[in-house]
Amino acid sequence: MGKSVRKKLAPIVLSMIVLVSTFFSWPVTSLAVEETSSKVTLDSELGKKTPSGIPISELEGFVDNYVKDYIGKTTSGAAIVVLKDNQIVLSKGYGDANIEKDIPIDPRKTVFEWGSITKLFVWTSVMQLVEQGKIDLNEDIRTYLPEGFLTKLKYDSPITMLDLMHHTAGFEDYIFDLGYSSPDKVKSLEEGLKLAEPVQVYKPGEVVAYSNFSTSLAAYIVELLTGQEFYQYTSEHIFSKIDSKNASIHPKLSDNKKLLENKATGYKLNGPSQFIESNDFYVSMYPSGAINGTAEDLAKFASALMLKEEDSSPLFQKKETLDEFLTQSYSANENIPGNAHGFWEYDGRKRGLTHGGNTEAFSSNLHIVPEENFAVIILTNQSGEMDICYGLTKELVGEESVSVAASNENMPDASELEGTYTSARRGYHGFLNIYYELNPLKITAVNDREIQLGMSGISANYIQTSPYMYKKIKGHKLFDVMGPMYFHVENGKVTQISASISDYLPVSTGKSLPFLILYLILAVLSVGYFIISPLILLFREISRRRKKHPVSPLQRWNSILILTGTAIVINNFILIARMLIDSFRAYSEITAHIIMNYGLTALGVVSLVFILVKGRKTKLTKLQKFYYGLSVIMFFILVFLMIVWQFYR
């Protein structure tokens, strides 16, 4: 959910793969409010342009030409809707809703998972209650929650609704019980929040760390204040107000099962010209990413956020409430885009407000430019899609030009910023923390004004435009999501990097690359020992039985220690494999592995104690001492790494 909900477990290996087979459906052109003919709409748009300068009359051709490089090649399909002055000036489907059945995508009827765009409906509901005087954005949210509802807070500082909107409440990322492949596992919103409550690791208001929990917590507050299930509230106070009939936020789609008939099949790219079907996505914390709907229904929501002066909002009683909603409410620096009550600001030619979404097999992007009364809606049935969702959007809304020849006056040297950083949106507790340690952001200086960012084998170059403010000039599309970056520097050291969706923090010394390399070497030695040693034990046992030699107690306990270490290695290999196959799991599904780690470790410790005790009382050769000592040392190393990488949590 959001970006990188899938910011998951194994190190990210991003590769752009070229495939074949393209399908284009016929264009559908209509008004957002009332139907009209294609000719009338085009006549009314003569002379109008996108914020990037593309004439509306040439828009369809431009989009057709852009997407042909991706549809059927790296992207299974997309529905694209463009609004200008509350009119739909382009509504077109590309590719297949179902590849096997050759069902084309239709923006009016094909249903997609919207992912984290759903969060905007939470913030809309919050602003409706602000307007009614039921919510104060600066009030401690514990005022609205049952006493003791939050049990893992580290700081006494208040968490406000603005903190939830800005993702600055301080919660770590926690992926267990976030999503399921079956609706049968879905629980109530209250139960889901209690089950998946993360630990608060940052002081509220200081660090941006994208949080699904924060948004769902805000939705739960809406439930408490209105006495309605959040899906009921959304249906009555948002969907019905914008005449949206082909969208639902119900976690199981129980209130509009007809949508399932038109739902696109979600896909993952599995290699050149290979799309494989993926699972549907169901969540207990559904306000963070569970809306299913069509592209044109999402366009109705976008249209309701952009009003002409004489229009009234269908979502708010006062136009001032909508104006406040779309006004910047947080920014780390005056020169960097921030957050507008849940929207992410976009550094374009004209100020944009945007939010993307990702689920197990769908990607999406909603982008509005209020000043231009312009919007782009892109929904795809492709996991992790970026080329169309973000690449095409950038082409249509334009970017603010970056002057690489700007004055060097008062510009700090880029070498100050070199180092290794980790995303603030990360887990700190549990074995998944290792993923974040193995996937850092590396920054190197290209010259005194330019830096290169590297992560997971991809890179991008940024230029300094004002002191400690950097903007991208070239590189991988993944970095487009991060937007401009501002470096907080104290006494010549970077303390924090501010960027959209998530800040970045310096990697601590104990988790720097040299330490990770050391841990990796130790892991290879220990794991290798416990994989190979059982084979040696087997051959020795066969030889012993042939020669009819007795087994000494020391040999027996050493064998138990080795086999215990092997069992620990196998148990955790299975755990990792299960998470790689399907990372959206309930914590209860992996609890057995954690319990087994404790049990096996206890058995290993007992064996180790007996080896040390018996070894002192037994006369041993140097070779025997080395062999038994090696088993003890390797087990110590294995347990040490399990503690460091939190495989007991």
Side-chain angles (χ1 to χ4, degrees):
M1 301 186 146
K3 301 284 176 221
S4 98
V5 162
R6 159 125 30 205
K7 298 163 178 191
K8 293 187 200 169
L9 310 173
I12 302 171
V13 181
L14 295 172
S15 54
M16 308 315 295
I17 307 169
V18 182
L19 309 179
V20 292
S21 170
T22 305
F23 177 86
F24 296 102
S25 65
W26 291 102
V28 180
T29 309
S30 63
L31 286 175
V33 180
E34 56 181 309
E35 285 288 310
T36 187
S37 70
S38 176
K39 183 178 185 300
V40 171
T41 300
L42 289 175
D43 287 347
S44 69
E45 297 304 333
L46 288 176
K48 294 187 177 182
K49 298 180 179 181
T50 70
S52 64
I54 302 168
I56 296 299
S57 59
E58 300 175 11
L59 178 61
E60 184 179 335
F62 179 89
V63 174
D64 287 354
N65 186 61
Y66 182 92
V67 302
K68 70 181 181 182
D69 291 333
Y70 306 106
I71 296 294
K73 299 176 181 177
T74 61
T75 307
S76 51
I80 301 172
V81 179
V82 180
L83 291 169
K84 175 64 178 173
D85 295 333
N86 295 91
Q87 288 184 321
I88 292 181
V89 294
L90 176 70
S91 179
K92 192 166 182 177
Y94 298 88
D96 290 320
N98 186 292
I99 296 173
E100 183 179 356
K101 296 179 181 179
D102 196 26
I103 300 175
I105 285 177
D106 184 339
R108 294 171 300 182
K109 61 183 287 189
T110 303
V111 173
F112 298 80
E113 293 174 2
W114 293 1
S116 285
I117 289 175
T118 303
K119 291 179 173 65
L120 297 178
F121 289 74
V122 176
W123 307 132
T124 300
S125 68
V126 167
M127 293 304 295
Q128 288 175 337
L129 296 186
V130 168
E131 185 177 64
Q132 297 169 29
K134 294 181 179 180
I135 288 180
D136 181 342
L137 294 177
N138 294 296
E139 180 67 63
D140 190 332
I141 59 170
R142 285 172 285 192
T143 302
Y144 307 114
L145 294 168
E147 187 175 352
F149 186 82
L150 297 175
T151 63
K152 299 180 180 180
L153 298 182
K154 180 180 178 181
Y155 299 93
D156 292 330
S157 303
I159 300 172
T160 67
M161 185 61 72
L162 284 173
D163 285 324
L164 299 184
M165 288 176 154
H166 304 152
H167 300 270
T168 56
F171 296 118
E172 69 173 330
D173 205 23
Y174 184 85
I175 72 166
F176 291 111
D177 295 288
L178 176 61
Y180 310 107
S181 57
S182 169
D184 298 333
K185 297 179 180 179
V186 173
K187 299 171 179 60
S188 70
L189 176 56
E190 180 181 1
E191 289 177 297
L193 288 167
K194 289 180 177 179
L195 197 61
E197 182 185 354
V199 176
Q200 187 186 47
V201 293
Y202 309 115
K203 188 175 181 179
E206 294 190 352
V207 177
V208 175
Y210 190 87
S211 171
N212 292 299
F213 181 84
S214 290
T215 308
S216 294
L217 186 61
Y220 179 58
I221 291 173
V222 172
E223 284 193 349
L224 293 173
L225 294 176
T226 63
Q228 290 181 287
E229 299 265 4
F230 187 73
Y231 67 83
Q232 294 173 328
Y233 180 91
T234 305
S235 177
E236 180 180 343
H237 296 279
I238 299 181
F239 287 140
S240 65
K241 299 295 184 182
I242 61 176
D243 193 32
S244 172
K245 297 182 174 63
N246 296 304
S248 170
I249 194 176
H250 193 286
K252 300 181 182 180
L253 284 182
S254 299
D255 63 340
N256 194 343
K257 293 186 177 181
K258 187 178 178 181
L259 294 182
L260 291 172
E261 300 174 8
N262 295 317
K263 186 170 180 177
T265 301
Y267 294 96
K268 294 180 180 180
L269 195 62
N270 194 42
S273 303
Q274 294 181 14
F275 294 96
I276 58 172
E277 291 188 19
S278 187
N279 297 323
D280 288 335
F281 189 74
Y282 301 93
V283 287
S284 299
M285 295 197 300
Y286 65 91
S288 285
I291 291 183
N292 284 258
T294 68
E296 289 204 1
D297 272 55
L298 184 52
K300 291 179 180 179
F301 176 68
S303 181
L305 298 173
M306 300 183 299
L307 302 177
K308 297 177 181 177
E309 287 297 325
E310 66 275 12
D311 292 338
S312 59
S313 169
L315 297 173
F316 304 103
Q317 297 173 11
K318 304 174 184 177
K319 186 176 183 296
E320 290 79 11
T321 307
L322 176 59
D323 292 340
E324 180 184 4
F325 188 14
L326 304 183
T327 300
Q328 184 185 86
S329 52
Y330 172 85
S331 180
N333 179 273
E334 61 181 5
N335 295 318
I336 190 171
N339 190 292
H341 301 90
F343 275 97
W344 299 106
E345 291 184 311
Y346 179 80
D347 189 34
R349 294 185 182 179
K350 297 293 176 67
R351 176 177 177 263
L353 297 171
T354 185
H355 210 296
N358 286 282
T359 65
E360 181 74 2
F362 291 80
S363 305
S364 57
N365 195 22
L366 167 67
H367 190 113
I368 64 174
V369 185
E371 184 180 344
E372 294 282 309
N373 207 312
F374 182 86
V376 181
I377 295 93
I378 300 175
L379 304 179
T380 76
N381 55 335
Q382 175 74 49
S383 67
E385 206 287 325
M386 297 190 68
D387 295 299
I388 298 177
C389 282
Y390 295 96
L392 176 60
T393 297
K394 184 170 69 172
E395 293 293 329
L396 299 181
V397 301
E399 286 187 296
E400 186 178 29
S401 60
V402 179
S403 175
V404 297
S407 170
N408 284 315
E409 185 179 355
N410 297 323
M411 292 290 190
D413 196 292
S415 61
E416 260 189 273
L417 314 179
E418 290 190 321
T420 305
Y421 304 86
T422 184
S423 173
R425 184 195 180 181
R426 55 159 298 168
Y428 283 91
H429 300 88
F431 66 92
L432 293 181
N433 81 93
I434 187 177
Y435 160 68
Y436 302 95
E437 306 296 349
L438 296 175
N439 189 38
L441 175 70
K442 180 73 174 179
I443 295 181
T444 55
V446 177
N447 54 50
D448 60 348
R449 291 278 312 284
E450 186 178 341
I451 58 175
Q452 183 175 79
L453 278 62
M455 181 170 59
S456 304
I458 59 174
S459 63
N461 285 37
Y462 282 63
I463 196 78
Q464 188 172 197
T465 58
S466 62
Y468 298 116
M469 174 77 180
Y470 282 76
K471 293 186 179 182
K472 180 186 170 189
I473 53 175
K474 63 180 180 179
H476 197 278
K477 287 186 177 69
L478 173 66
F479 293 93
D480 290 344
V481 181
M482 296 167 62
M485 309 182 78
Y486 176 73
F487 291 79
H488 302 258
V489 178
E490 294 180 7
N491 300 320
K493 299 287 186 180
V494 177
T495 59
Q496 187 172 333
I497 305 173
S498 292
S500 290
I501 300 174
S502 177
D503 290 352
Y504 284 80
L505 304 172
V507 172
S508 62
T509 303
K511 296 180 180 179
S512 61
L513 185 59
F515 277 87
L516 290 177
I517 292 174
L518 174 61
Y519 294 155
L520 180 60
I521 293 172
L522 293 176
V524 170
L525 292 174
S526 179
V527 171
Y529 181 81
F530 287 113
I531 289 176
I532 296 172
S533 290
L535 298 176
I536 297 174
L537 288 178
L538 178 61
F539 288 122
R540 290 188 63 184
E541 179 63 16
I542 293 173
S543 175
R544 185 192 66 77
R545 292 197 176 191
R546 284 179 179 175
K547 297 178 180 179
K548 297 181 180 180
H549 289 170
V551 181
S552 71
L554 196 57
Q555 289 175 326
R556 182 177 291 110
W557 284 112
N558 185 64
S559 297
I560 293 174
L561 180 64
I562 289 173
L563 294 176
T564 299
T566 303
I568 291 175
V569 169
I570 293 173
N571 177 54
N572 289 288
F573 275 171
I574 294 173
L575 170 59
I576 293 170
R578 291 184 68 201
M579 294 302 300
L580 289 175
I581 292 170
D582 181 8
S583 64
F584 293 114
R585 293 185 179 275
Y587 186 74
S588 59
E589 293 183 62
I590 60 98
T591 303
H593 294 284
I594 305 300
I595 294 174
M596 193 173 294
N597 281 338
Y598 277 106
L600 291 171
T601 301
L603 178 59
V605 170
V606 171
S607 304
L608 188 148
V609 170
F610 272 95
I611 290 174
L612 294 177
V613 172
K614 295 289 183 182
R616 286 185 176 183
K617 298 178 180 179
T618 306
K619 189 175 182 180
L620 301 172
T621 65
K622 289 184 178 180
L623 183 59
Q624 288 174 321
K625 288 181 180 179
F626 174 79
Y627 177 49
Y628 296 140
L630 186 61
S631 296
V632 170
I633 291 172
M634 289 301 169
F635 189 80
F636 266 124
I637 291 174
L638 181 62
V639 171
F640 168 75
L641 293 174
M642 296 266 290
I643 293 172
V644 169
W645 289 333
Q646 302 185 47
F647 275 89
Y648 295 106
R649 302 184 65 169

Tab-separated table of all heavy atoms in Angstrom, residues 163-189:
chain	number	residue	atom	x	y	z
A	163	ASP	N	-0.510	14.743	12.494
A	163	ASP	CA	0.590	13.777	12.472
A	163	ASP	C	0.193	12.534	11.677
A	163	ASP	O	1.005	11.981	10.936
A	163	ASP	CB	0.981	13.370	13.897
A	163	ASP	CG	1.762	14.443	14.623
A	163	ASP	OD1	2.561	15.134	13.967
A	163	ASP	OD2	1.568	14.597	15.842
A	164	LEU	N	-1.045	12.082	11.851
A	164	LEU	CA	-1.511	10.923	11.085
A	164	LEU	C	-1.561	11.258	9.605
A	164	LEU	O	-1.153	10.448	8.753
A	164	LEU	CB	-2.896	10.483	11.572
A	164	LEU	CG	-3.015	10.047	13.039
A	164	LEU	CD1	-4.426	9.540	13.321
A	164	LEU	CD2	-1.998	8.973	13.390
A	165	MET	N	-2.038	12.433	9.263
A	165	MET	CA	-2.120	12.866	7.863
A	165	MET	C	-0.741	12.976	7.235
A	165	MET	O	-0.540	12.612	6.071
A	165	MET	CB	-2.827	14.225	7.770
A	165	MET	CG	-4.319	14.186	8.032
A	165	MET	SD	-5.023	15.851	8.025
A	165	MET	CE	-6.730	15.499	7.570
A	166	HIS	N	0.216	13.481	8.016
A	166	HIS	CA	1.570	13.721	7.490
A	166	HIS	C	2.469	12.494	7.608
A	166	HIS	O	3.619	12.538	7.169
A	166	HIS	CB	2.232	14.876	8.243
A	166	HIS	CG	1.453	16.144	8.213
A	166	HIS	ND1	1.526	17.094	9.213
A	166	HIS	CD2	0.565	16.617	7.307
A	166	HIS	CE1	0.725	18.098	8.910
A	166	HIS	NE2	0.127	17.834	7.769
A	167	HIS	N	1.974	11.436	8.217
A	167	HIS	CA	2.774	10.227	8.470
A	167	HIS	C	3.966	10.547	9.373
A	167	HIS	O	5.065	10.022	9.199
A	167	HIS	CB	3.240	9.597	7.155
A	167	HIS	CG	2.104	9.194	6.257
A	167	HIS	ND1	1.524	7.951	6.308
A	167	HIS	CD2	1.424	9.883	5.304
A	167	HIS	CE1	0.538	7.881	5.422
A	167	HIS	NE2	0.452	9.054	4.809
A	168	THR	N	3.721	11.421	10.345
A	168	THR	CA	4.772	11.793	11.301
A	168	THR	C	4.409	11.360	12.726
A	168	THR	O	4.904	11.947	13.696
A	168	THR	CB	5.018	13.314	11.282
A	168	THR	OG1	3.778	14.000	11.555
A	168	THR	CG2	5.569	13.765	9.949
A	169	ALA	N	3.555	10.349	12.867
A	169	ALA	CA	3.170	9.877	14.200
A	169	ALA	C	4.277	9.075	14.853
A	169	ALA	O	4.253	8.849	16.063
A	169	ALA	CB	1.900	9.031	14.121
A	170	GLY	N	5.249	8.616	14.050
A	170	GLY	CA	6.416	7.935	14.602
A	170	GLY	C	6.355	6.425	14.594
A	170	GLY	O	7.207	5.770	15.208
A	171	PHE	N	5.389	5.830	13.890
A	171	PHE	CA	5.250	4.378	13.900
A	171	PHE	C	6.236	3.708	12.940
A	171	PHE	O	6.476	4.203	11.835
A	171	PHE	CB	3.830	3.966	13.514
A	171	PHE	CG	2.782	4.432	14.479
A	171	PHE	CD1	1.784	5.308	14.080
A	171	PHE	CD2	2.797	4.010	15.799
A	171	PHE	CE1	0.807	5.739	14.961
A	171	PHE	CE2	1.826	4.439	16.700
A	171	PHE	CZ	0.836	5.309	16.278
A	172	GLU	N	6.779	2.573	13.351
A	172	GLU	CA	7.603	1.780	12.446
A	172	GLU	C	6.698	1.078	11.434
A	172	GLU	O	5.474	1.015	11.603
A	172	GLU	CB	8.414	0.735	13.219
A	172	GLU	CG	7.583	-0.392	13.827
A	172	GLU	CD	8.443	-1.498	14.435
A	172	GLU	OE1	9.565	-1.722	13.955
A	172	GLU	OE2	7.975	-2.135	15.400
A	173	ASP	N	7.286	0.540	10.383
A	173	ASP	CA	6.525	-0.202	9.381
A	173	ASP	C	6.327	-1.629	9.877
A	173	ASP	O	7.252	-2.251	10.400
A	173	ASP	CB	7.278	-0.210	8.044
A	173	ASP	CG	6.353	-0.409	6.868
A	173	ASP	OD1	5.152	-0.108	7.007
A	173	ASP	OD2	6.825	-0.854	5.817
A	174	TYR	N	5.133	-2.143	9.703
A	174	TYR	CA	4.802	-3.488	10.179
A	174	TYR	C	3.921	-4.134	9.118
A	174	TYR	O	2.831	-3.645	8.819
A	174	TYR	CB	4.060	-3.392	11.511
A	174	TYR	CG	3.735	-4.731	12.155
A	174	TYR	CD1	4.677	-5.376	12.952
A	174	TYR	CD2	2.493	-5.331	11.984
A	174	TYR	CE1	4.389	-6.590	13.564
A	174	TYR	CE2	2.197	-6.540	12.592
A	174	TYR	CZ	3.142	-7.174	13.377
A	174	TYR	OH	2.854	-8.385	13.969
A	175	ILE	N	4.395	-5.227	8.499
A	175	ILE	CA	3.669	-5.770	7.355
A	175	ILE	C	2.794	-6.964	7.701
A	175	ILE	O	1.932	-7.347	6.908
A	175	ILE	CB	4.624	-6.162	6.212
A	175	ILE	CG1	5.409	-7.416	6.570
A	175	ILE	CG2	5.537	-5.027	5.853
A	175	ILE	CD1	6.098	-8.044	5.384
A	176	PHE	N	2.989	-7.564	8.874
A	176	PHE	CA	2.158	-8.715	9.212
A	176	PHE	C	0.713	-8.272	9.438
A	176	PHE	O	0.449	-7.206	9.988
A	176	PHE	CB	2.689	-9.435	10.450
A	176	PHE	CG	3.994	-10.135	10.215
A	176	PHE	CD1	5.154	-9.689	10.805
A	176	PHE	CD2	4.062	-11.237	9.369
A	176	PHE	CE1	6.358	-10.326	10.583
A	176	PHE	CE2	5.269	-11.884	9.136
A	176	PHE	CZ	6.419	-11.428	9.743
A	177	ASP	N	-0.210	-9.133	9.017
A	177	ASP	CA	-1.645	-8.874	9.153
A	177	ASP	C	-2.065	-7.592	8.434
A	177	ASP	O	-3.090	-6.997	8.748
A	177	ASP	CB	-2.047	-8.794	10.632
A	177	ASP	CG	-1.855	-10.130	11.336
A	177	ASP	OD1	-2.636	-11.049	11.073
A	177	ASP	OD2	-0.893	-10.244	12.127
A	178	LEU	N	-1.271	-7.191	7.446
A	178	LEU	CA	-1.625	-6.021	6.644
A	178	LEU	C	-2.581	-6.411	5.526
A	178	LEU	O	-3.567	-5.728	5.254
A	178	LEU	CB	-0.367	-5.376	6.059
A	178	LEU	CG	-0.589	-4.204	5.112
A	178	LEU	CD1	-1.298	-3.064	5.832
A	178	LEU	CD2	0.745	-3.719	4.550
A	179	GLY	N	-2.281	-7.517	4.844
A	179	GLY	CA	-3.127	-7.951	3.743
A	179	GLY	C	-3.211	-9.457	3.664
A	179	GLY	O	-2.305	-10.167	4.119
A	180	TYR	N	-4.318	-9.929	3.101
A	180	TYR	CA	-4.540	-11.367	2.971
A	180	TYR	C	-4.992	-11.684	1.550
A	180	TYR	O	-5.552	-10.846	0.840
A	180	TYR	CB	-5.607	-11.840	3.958
A	180	TYR	CG	-5.394	-11.402	5.384
A	180	TYR	CD1	-6.189	-10.418	5.966
A	180	TYR	CD2	-4.386	-11.959	6.159
A	180	TYR	CE1	-5.996	-10.009	7.277
A	180	TYR	CE2	-4.183	-11.560	7.476
A	180	TYR	CZ	-4.993	-10.578	8.026
A	180	TYR	OH	-4.787	-10.179	9.315
A	181	SER	N	-4.775	-12.923	1.145
A	181	SER	CA	-5.220	-13.359	-0.171
A	181	SER	C	-6.638	-13.909	-0.140
A	181	SER	O	-7.211	-14.207	-1.185
A	181	SER	CB	-4.261	-14.428	-0.720
A	181	SER	OG	-4.178	-15.526	0.180
A	182	SER	N	-7.198	-14.044	1.057
A	182	SER	CA	-8.555	-14.578	1.203
A	182	SER	C	-9.392	-13.644	2.069
A	182	SER	O	-8.930	-13.179	3.112
A	182	SER	CB	-8.515	-15.968	1.849
A	182	SER	OG	-9.818	-16.387	2.220
A	183	PRO	N	-10.645	-13.369	1.676
A	183	PRO	CA	-11.502	-12.496	2.490
A	183	PRO	C	-11.890	-13.127	3.816
A	183	PRO	O	-12.315	-12.420	4.734
A	183	PRO	CB	-12.728	-12.277	1.587
A	183	PRO	CG	-12.748	-13.467	0.680
A	183	PRO	CD	-11.309	-13.811	0.435
A	184	ASP	N	-11.743	-14.440	3.929
A	184	ASP	CA	-12.119	-15.127	5.166
A	184	ASP	C	-11.253	-14.706	6.351
A	184	ASP	O	-11.660	-14.863	7.511
A	184	ASP	CB	-12.016	-16.647	4.985
A	184	ASP	CG	-12.957	-17.166	3.909
A	184	ASP	OD1	-13.995	-16.508	3.681
A	184	ASP	OD2	-12.653	-18.191	3.283
A	185	LYS	N	-10.054	-14.189	6.079
A	185	LYS	CA	-9.143	-13.810	7.155
A	185	LYS	C	-9.370	-12.384	7.650
A	185	LYS	O	-8.781	-11.969	8.652
A	185	LYS	CB	-7.692	-13.965	6.688
A	185	LYS	CG	-7.305	-15.396	6.338
A	185	LYS	CD	-5.867	-15.468	5.869
A	185	LYS	CE	-5.463	-16.894	5.511
A	185	LYS	NZ	-4.068	-16.989	5.023
A	186	VAL	N	-10.207	-11.630	6.936
A	186	VAL	CA	-10.424	-10.230	7.285
A	186	VAL	C	-11.189	-10.110	8.594
A	186	VAL	O	-12.183	-10.796	8.819
A	186	VAL	CB	-11.192	-9.508	6.157
A	186	VAL	CG1	-11.572	-8.096	6.588
A	186	VAL	CG2	-10.344	-9.453	4.896
A	187	LYS	N	-10.705	-9.217	9.454
A	187	LYS	CA	-11.346	-8.950	10.737
A	187	LYS	C	-11.906	-7.537	10.723
A	187	LYS	O	-11.737	-6.804	9.749
A	187	LYS	CB	-10.334	-9.136	11.865
A	187	LYS	CG	-9.777	-10.552	11.953
A	187	LYS	CD	-8.620	-10.638	12.936
A	187	LYS	CE	-8.088	-12.065	13.030
A	187	LYS	NZ	-7.580	-12.573	11.729
A	188	SER	N	-12.552	-7.142	11.797
A	188	SER	CA	-13.066	-5.777	11.887
A	188	SER	C	-11.902	-4.796	11.927
A	188	SER	O	-10.762	-5.166	12.233
A	188	SER	CB	-13.924	-5.609	13.142
A	188	SER	OG	-13.107	-5.652	14.310
A	189	LEU	N	-12.202	-3.530	11.631
A	189	LEU	CA	-11.150	-2.513	11.643
A	189	LEU	C	-10.515	-2.410	13.026
A	189	LEU	O	-9.283	-2.337	13.153
A	189	LEU	CB	-11.732	-1.155	11.229
A	189	LEU	CG	-10.774	0.040	11.272
A	189	LEU	CD1	-9.538	-0.216	10.429
A	189	LEU	CD2	-11.494	1.308	10.810
